[in-house]
Amino acid sequence: QVQLVESGGGLVQAGGSLRLSCAASGSILRINDMDWYRQAPGKQRELVAVITSGGATNYADSVKGRFTISRDNAKNTVYLQMNMLKPEDTAVYYCNADVYLVSRARTTFRGQGTQVTVSS
């Protein structure tokens, strides 16, 4: 019904930047909140940033001041600009979208994840 495709991950040195993108496609009527999560090996999944359909944002304390979440509602796409990256940011990053489908059903969809590796 809905696919979320993430891109932009990779290997970067500490202090560097990456920009993640997540594009949603399918039977979408409207997308509410869009989120970025991450999961590092051996650690619990962590909510990184959230953005509402109106553009309000919220961040994990660990990324405040370094990461910026944004979205393009016309493209059903959410972005995560990551600056001043640290080795502890290394993880698989996933996007989630709270979607109202054309069928009027409401479901949360999750992307396949993109690896971010920060070397020291």
Side-chain angles (χ1 to χ4, degrees):
Q1 290 175 317
V2 174
Q3 280 191 324
L4 299 181
V5 179
E6 294 132 336
S7 60
L11 173 64
V12 65
Q13 288 188 331
S17 299
L18 284 174
R19 188 190 193 213
L20 306 183
S21 300
C22 174
S25 62
S27 303
I28 299 169
L29 180 63
R30 186 177 75 248
I31 301 178
N32 299 317
D33 290 359
M34 302 185 83
D35 317 326
W36 285 99
Y37 285 80
R38 66 186 180 187
Q39 188 160 23
K43 294 187 177 181
Q44 287 189 331
R45 193 174 66 163
E46 176 188 21
L47 177 60
V48 175
V50 180
I51 186 166
T52 68
S53 57
T57 59
N58 199 13
Y59 297 91
D61 287 343
S62 58
V63 306
K64 280 181 182 177
R66 301 188 297 122
F67 290 11
T68 302
I69 189 171
S70 61
R71 65 191 285 173
D72 185 333
N73 290 332
K75 296 181 179 179
N76 289 331
T77 300
V78 62
Y79 306 95
L80 187 68
Q81 177 67 44
M82 305 185 294
N83 298 328
M84 296 182 285
L85 282 160
K86 304 175 181 180
E88 51 263 44
D89 294 318
T90 295
V92 178
Y93 285 70
Y94 301 90
C95 69
N96 280 8
D98 177 18
V99 180
Y100 276 108
L101 300 172
V102 172
S103 65
R104 298 297 194 271
R106 180 179 178 180
T107 309
T108 298
F109 293 92
R110 178 177 173 181
Q112 81 286 353
T114 185
Q115 177 70 46
V116 171
T117 303
V118 184
S119 62
S120 57

